[in-house]
Every structure is written in structure tokens, then in C-alpha cells.
Amino acid sequence: MLERSIEAAVAADSSSVSNSDNQNEWAARYSRQTRFSPIGLSGQSKLRDACVFIVGSGALGASLAQHMVRMGVGTVKLTDRDFVEPSNLQRQMLFDEEDARLALPKAVAAVNKLRRINSDISIEPFVADVTESNVLQLMEGADLVLDGTDNAATRLLLSDACFQLGIPFFYGGIAGAQGMSAVLVPGETACLRCLIGGAEQGDGAETCDTIGVISPIVEWIASMQAVEALKWLSGNGEALRGTWLTANLWPFRLKESAVPAPVSSCSICSPSALALLRSSKLEQTSSGISMRQPAVEDEQGAVPGEEDYKGLVYMERPRAITLCGRDSVQVTLGRHIDLRDLEHALVSLGCTVTANPYLVRAHITDEERLVIFPDGRILVQGTQDPLVAVTLCRRYVVNTLDI
């Protein structure tokens, strides 16, 4: 009996020492950050308990992810629908030539680097396109959303969802040498839809694909987003900037304007709309969130994702779109694709094929390529014509696999 008591005491003492060592290591790791008085140990503990959702893992998204991981945010969720190409390496800081050679999904390549930066936190990657059907599922548990996207439609969707869930949306956008940043807080500011209009107005803006981009503006805007997120997550929400910031690094100009208050007639950000949403506790159905803009006519319900590769989740894209400025169309088949079977079939058809566990890339002609994901999404590169894209998908995927 005495021996058991001694063993129990030793075990308890060892556990106490281990916990103490872990706490000391944690404190040492973030010591320079906690010495900054607005954060301190209390703010760092809040960061450890926080969860952020980063949409887009490319230029802004990769830099934002680094900031969140290095500052010690406890759970970092990131999603991207694309894969690494050589043209990304000039400005997307988490990727290298090997990632491009292997055509790794950006979410996968990013998490490979991020887990080597900080192995003590949870990092959840999703190879997915954020849509009305899956946005609430992806945002579950997040304290805020960081914008690393490249199109107005997705930004508006995220802003709408954030206002419905009552969490802030940290907007960011870049093109050329110019960028913009703002924090939109439900109950305190207008939503993005009130600030930029609908997707049609937003997509008329210049993009990286139309006027190019230089890497310093990526880091500049990502830093503006990250520091505001740091304020919010560490319990310093009162220190938020509260402005719409526009920066041009070449020639150098800065402009700030106050973010407007909620618009009383808006069905997303008005006080009455928010009160209605909170009283009904936001009914979350398989049809997604209630949008002010109608859904695309061919939209389908979401198909549950399947887990793969250490928590990586593939989720369905419920509609097809032309990707602005990229000479590409995204087509969704709405069903799982066996990549191994498809790889062999495409080789037998004479295609030049590159494959990895996450996608198959097939060169059909010098101009046309298919990039196929197991969730049923296909990027058709070399055309902006949806009809051509669907025809190629039918010929090389649907008919080949008889699906």
C-alpha cells in the first residue's frame, strides 16, 4: 500500500514538473511578445485559446498564416482551392520551387511549412472552394475571419456570414503596388456589401492577373490585417484602427477614411437584421446561409467531405465559375473522383500527366490543361468558355471513368 502511495506521489510530481516545464517553454517562446505591455501574459493566453479562419492561402493568406502561427494563435484554419504554380513564387512566401514542381495544393504546401514553424498549435488545412453550402461549416469555432481571397464574390459571402455569426471580418486586397485593409465588426460597422456593392461592382476592380503585383505590398497589407487581428484576439478590441486604409507603395501614398456605421436599411448589417439573426440563432441548414443575392441556378447541396492526410478535408464545390483574369474555368461534377484510376486512364489517352495524392494535372494540348481534385472540382486552364470547359471535362473525365 505504501509503495503504491509512493509511486502515485512520484507520478503526480513528475506530471507537475512536466507541466511546469511546458509552461516555462511556452512563456519563453513568446517572451518578446508578452513584454509588449498591451498583450502581456493575459493577452498571450487569449491568443492560445483563439481560433482564426484564413480564406485563401496564396499571397495575403500565406503571410497572414505565418503571422498567426508565429504569434501563437491556438487554432489556425486555412483553406484554398488552388495549387502552387511557378508564377506564385514571386510573392507567396510559404511556397518554393519543389511545391510548384509537385503541383501541391496551396493549403497542403502551406501547412507543411507552418507545422515546422510552430508544432504546438493546431493547424487545419482544407482543399476547398468556399461557397454558400460550406461556409458555415468551415467557419465553425472561428473567432474571426482573415481575408486572403482574390475575388469580390467570395469576400461578400464571407462578410455576410461573419455578420450573421457575429464575428469580425478582416478585409484585405492587393493589386499592383496598391492595397486596402479594413476591419468590419457586426453591430459596429457597415458590412462589405454596403461598402463595395454587389459582386458585379467588386469584380470590375483591377486584380493581380490584370495589372500584376509586387511582393512588398503583400507584406504591407498582410501586416495591417495581422496587427488588427492581434489586437482583437488579445483582448484589445478598443484599439482597432477603425478606418478603411488604402496604401500605394509606388508612388507612395496613404489614405484613411472612417469605416461607416451599420446601414439601417441593410438586411445584413442593420441593427434590426442582426437582432433577428441573433434571436433566431441563425438556422444552419444544408442549403447554406441566407444571402441577399440569389444563388446560382445550378447550385447543388453540399456533399460531405472526406478526411485525408492528417486532417486535410476535401469538400465539394457546388457550382462552376469562370476565374477572373486567369484564362480558366472551374467545373464541378458533384461526385468523388478516384485519382489513381483517372491518372492511368489519362495516360492511356496520350495526355502528359502529373499526379500527387491531392490532384491530377493533365496536359491535353499546349494550351489546354485539366487539374482534377478528388472532390469533383476540375480547373480547366486555357479557356474562359464554360461550354468548352464542360465539354473537355465530359470527354476526359466523365466518359473516361464512366461517372
Side-chain angles (χ1 to χ4, degrees):
M1 186 72 175
L2 178 59
E3 289 179 354
R4 285 201 206 98
S5 299
I6 293 174
E7 289 174 0
V10 170
D13 187 57
S14 298
S15 176
S16 176
V17 170
S18 177
N19 290 336
S20 177
D21 288 344
N22 290 339
Q23 185 66 19
N24 289 338
E25 290 174 4
W26 177 82
R29 176 170 190 141
Y30 302 108
S31 60
R32 300 307 185 269
Q33 188 162 274
T34 56
R35 288 176 187 175
F36 182 64
S37 59
I39 297 177
L41 286 173
S42 174
Q44 192 64 49
S45 295
K46 290 182 174 69
L47 289 170
R48 180 175 56 187
D49 296 335
C51 173
V52 301
F53 180 42
I54 304 171
V55 184
S57 304
L60 286 176
S63 295
L64 288 167
Q66 283 199 82
H67 282 296
M68 297 301 108
V69 166
R70 292 183 187 279
M71 69 176 57
V73 174
T75 301
V76 177
K77 302 167 67 174
L78 67 159
T79 184
D80 199 286
R81 67 186 179 186
D82 211 347
F83 64 99
V84 182
E85 300 180 89
S87 63
N88 303 144
L89 303 182
Q90 165 257 346
R91 67 196 179 283
Q92 300 184 12
M93 301 303 179
L94 281 178
F95 310 132
D96 55 37
E97 292 177 350
E98 185 67 1
D99 296 326
R101 185 186 70 81
L102 296 173
L104 289 179
K106 290 182 181 180
V108 173
V111 79
N112 287 342
K113 307 295 195 308
L114 294 169
R115 284 176 175 158
R116 293 201 290 269
I117 293 172
N118 193 339
S119 60
D120 292 333
I121 65 172
S122 173
I123 308 174
E124 303 175 17
F126 298 85
V127 179
D129 200 2
V130 178
T131 69
E132 293 174 7
S133 298
N134 64 21
V135 63
L136 294 179
Q137 181 184 353
L138 289 167
M139 288 173 60
E140 185 176 359
D143 296 300
L144 57 82
V145 173
L146 287 161
D147 175 19
T149 66
D150 60 2
N151 67 89
T154 304
R155 289 187 173 112
L156 289 167
L157 172 66
L158 292 170
S159 172
D160 290 351
C162 282
F163 273 75
Q164 293 193 33
L165 293 176
I167 62 175
F169 177 58
F170 289 69
Y171 164 78
I174 54 170
Q178 180 174 297
M180 294 174 285
S181 170
V183 182
L184 308 181
V185 182
E188 298 181 19
T189 72
C191 63
L192 188 63
R193 198 173 290 277
C194 288
L195 297 176
I196 71 171
E200 296 79 8
Q201 294 95 319
D203 279 333
E206 295 174 320
T207 70
C208 300
D209 293 300
T210 58
I211 66 168
V213 64
I214 59 174
S215 61
I217 191 63
V218 175
E219 297 304 308
W220 212 97
I221 294 299
S223 293
M224 294 300 99
Q225 293 174 273
V227 71
E228 298 302 294
L230 178 58
K231 294 174 186 177
W232 183 270
L233 295 173
S234 63
N236 292 282
E238 73 285 349
L240 289 177
R241 192 178 65 239
T243 62
W244 184 286
L245 174 67
T246 302
N248 196 327
L249 301 187
W250 192 344
F252 185 77
R253 293 192 300 271
L254 289 178
K255 179 182 178 181
E256 282 188 283
S257 56
V259 177
V263 178
S264 60
S265 60
C266 178
S267 62
I268 300 296
C269 65
S270 68
S272 58
L274 292 177
L276 179 62
L277 290 169
R278 287 166 185 167
S279 64
S280 63
K281 296 183 179 180
L282 183 61
E283 181 182 1
Q284 299 184 17
T285 68
S286 61
S287 61
I289 66 174
S290 173
M291 298 286 293
R292 205 165 71 173
Q293 296 295 316
V296 174
E297 290 183 357
D298 63 347
E299 183 166 336
Q300 306 168 12
V303 170
E306 62 174 348
E307 294 191 5
D308 189 16
Y309 188 69
K310 299 178 181 177
L312 180 67
V313 179
Y314 289 97
M315 307 183 75
E316 187 193 8
R317 166 65 172 159
R319 57 186 174 184
I321 58 171
T322 299
L323 302 182
C324 178
R326 292 191 53 189
D327 197 27
S328 300
V329 176
Q330 182 171 264
V331 176
T332 296
L333 302 182
R335 66 198 70 188
H336 177 78
I337 296 175
D338 188 308
L339 294 184
R340 184 172 300 179
D341 289 347
L342 181 62
E343 177 186 357
H344 295 321
L346 290 171
V347 169
S348 68
L349 290 173
C351 299
T352 301
V353 175
T354 302
N356 60 46
Y358 320 102
L359 60 86
V360 170
R361 181 171 57 179
H363 288 253
I364 299 171
T365 68
D366 289 341
E367 301 295 330
E368 296 171 331
R369 297 180 301 278
L370 301 181
V371 183
I372 305 104
F373 296 85
D375 62 359
R377 283 187 306 117
I378 304 173
L379 298 181
V380 184
Q381 301 178 317
T383 184
Q384 292 186 359
D385 186 338
L387 183 58
V388 171
V390 169
T391 300
L392 290 172
C393 291
R394 182 177 294 118
R395 181 185 307 161
Y396 287 94
V397 180
V398 176
N399 294 344
T400 299
L401 296 180
D402 193 25
I403 59 178

